[in-house]
Amino acid sequence: MTKEEKLHTNVSNNLAFYRKASGYTQLEIAEKLSYTDKAVSKWERGESFPDIFVLHQLADLYGISVNDFYRDKPKKVMSKKTKRRFFTALISLVFVWLIAVVIYVILMLSYENRDPMPEIWLTFLFATIPSFILLLSFAGVWHNRLLVLVFETLLIWSLLSCVYTPLYLFIDPKIELLYLIYIVGVPLQVLVILQYFLHWSFAGAMEAVRKAFGKKKPEEVIPPMTDDDTNQENPPQD
């Protein structure tokens, strides 16, 4: 492989890497650059090469320099879009826990003179449920299957903890084998893991089929000429 071919390969690979790392689809990049998604796909496959002006636009979009497209090993980046997503999720999460703190303070003031003090710290345990639901929603919108797996897992076990802990604290006499509640989480966890890997396998298989066969443009079928068509092409002369 010549030096020029290697640079060409590095650029095509890095174009795909930085786009995915920044959370953009080929269609979104195409719309920002006023190109078609097919053109972006060709750049990433190495079938064509974007001009230097396009590379500058993409570098600004991804928060890198043009020279980073030519590197053998791409660097880790956090694009403006990723930062915006992270900031939105963080603000939403802070809002949930702010509500939890307000509820905790109200309960503490309400039971200030009561002895013993009720288990108002459970407010924070219950706050984990809307927190993980919120994060799971964001992960679904971002189409990040790994984050969906993580937040579904955390949601399952937090729900079971929210059931187990009040029962353990407030039911007297204690229910024997109460910990068996957590066994319910085992099949749910297995289903979540299977969902993740089956989706990954199916998506990978479909991508392989798409690359292997592609979308072939159907050949145009020319209908046979009729007598009327012949007469129109060669009108009779007087």
Side-chain angles (χ1 to χ4, degrees):
M1 179 182 294
T2 64
K3 185 177 181 179
E4 184 179 351
E5 291 175 341
K6 184 178 181 181
L7 288 176
H8 196 117
T9 302
N10 287 349
V11 171
S12 60
N13 291 337
N14 289 335
L15 283 172
F17 173 83
Y18 287 120
R19 175 182 60 78
K20 294 175 182 178
S22 301
Y24 290 104
T25 64
Q26 290 182 345
L27 182 59
E28 288 174 330
I29 294 297
E31 290 175 349
K32 290 181 179 295
L33 301 176
S34 299
Y35 279 82
T36 64
D37 56 335
K38 292 182 179 179
V40 177
S41 179
K42 287 182 178 180
W43 296 340
E44 296 181 358
R45 293 199 307 267
E47 296 179 4
S48 62
F49 197 83
D51 59 46
I52 190 64
F53 299 105
V54 171
L55 289 178
H56 272 288
Q57 287 180 285
L58 290 172
D60 292 339
L61 185 62
Y62 300 149
I64 59 175
S65 67
V66 175
N67 290 334
D68 290 326
F69 288 120
Y70 296 92
R71 295 179 183 272
D72 292 334
K73 294 182 179 180
K75 66 178 184 180
K76 294 182 179 180
V77 295
M78 181 177 287
S79 68
K80 295 178 181 178
K81 184 177 181 179
T82 304
K83 291 178 181 177
R84 186 166 58 250
R85 286 177 170 181
F86 177 79
F87 182 76
T88 303
L90 181 61
I91 291 298
S92 303
L93 200 58
V94 168
F95 181 72
V96 170
W97 283 91
L98 182 61
I99 293 176
V101 170
V102 170
I103 294 174
Y104 176 82
V105 172
I106 292 174
L107 291 175
M108 187 173 62
L109 294 175
S110 300
Y111 295 102
E112 184 177 7
N113 299 322
R114 185 170 175 178
D115 189 27
M117 178 74 74
E119 305 291 348
I120 58 177
W121 58 267
L122 287 173
T123 302
F124 298 112
L125 177 62
F126 294 140
T128 60
I129 296 177
S131 298
F132 292 136
I133 291 176
L134 182 66
L135 293 173
L136 180 60
S137 302
F138 278 114
V141 171
W142 300 337
H143 303 289
N144 191 318
R145 298 298 305 173
L146 181 58
L147 286 180
V148 168
L149 171 65
V150 171
F151 293 137
E152 283 180 342
T153 298
L154 292 174
L155 179 60
I156 288 172
W157 297 107
S158 64
L159 280 169
L160 293 176
S161 296
C162 288
V163 173
Y164 171 83
T165 305
L167 290 177
Y168 179 81
L169 292 173
F170 300 126
I171 291 183
D172 193 30
K174 300 288 191 301
I175 299 177
E176 294 184 1
L177 304 178
L178 186 61
Y179 64 88
L180 292 178
I181 288 176
Y182 285 104
I183 293 181
V184 177
V186 175
L188 294 176
Q189 182 66 74
V190 172
L191 287 175
V192 167
I193 294 174
L194 286 177
Q195 179 190 20
Y196 172 78
F197 284 105
L198 287 176
H199 181 275
W200 179 83
S201 300
F202 179 76
M206 293 301 295
E207 181 67 16
V209 171
R210 187 187 67 80
K211 289 182 177 180
F213 297 98
K215 294 183 179 180
K216 296 183 178 180
K217 185 178 180 180
E219 297 182 358
E220 184 178 358
V221 179
I222 302 176
M225 295 182 63
T226 62
D227 294 338
D228 293 337
D229 296 331
T230 305
N231 292 334
Q232 289 180 1
E233 291 184 1
N234 302 305
Q237 297 180 356
D238 294 335

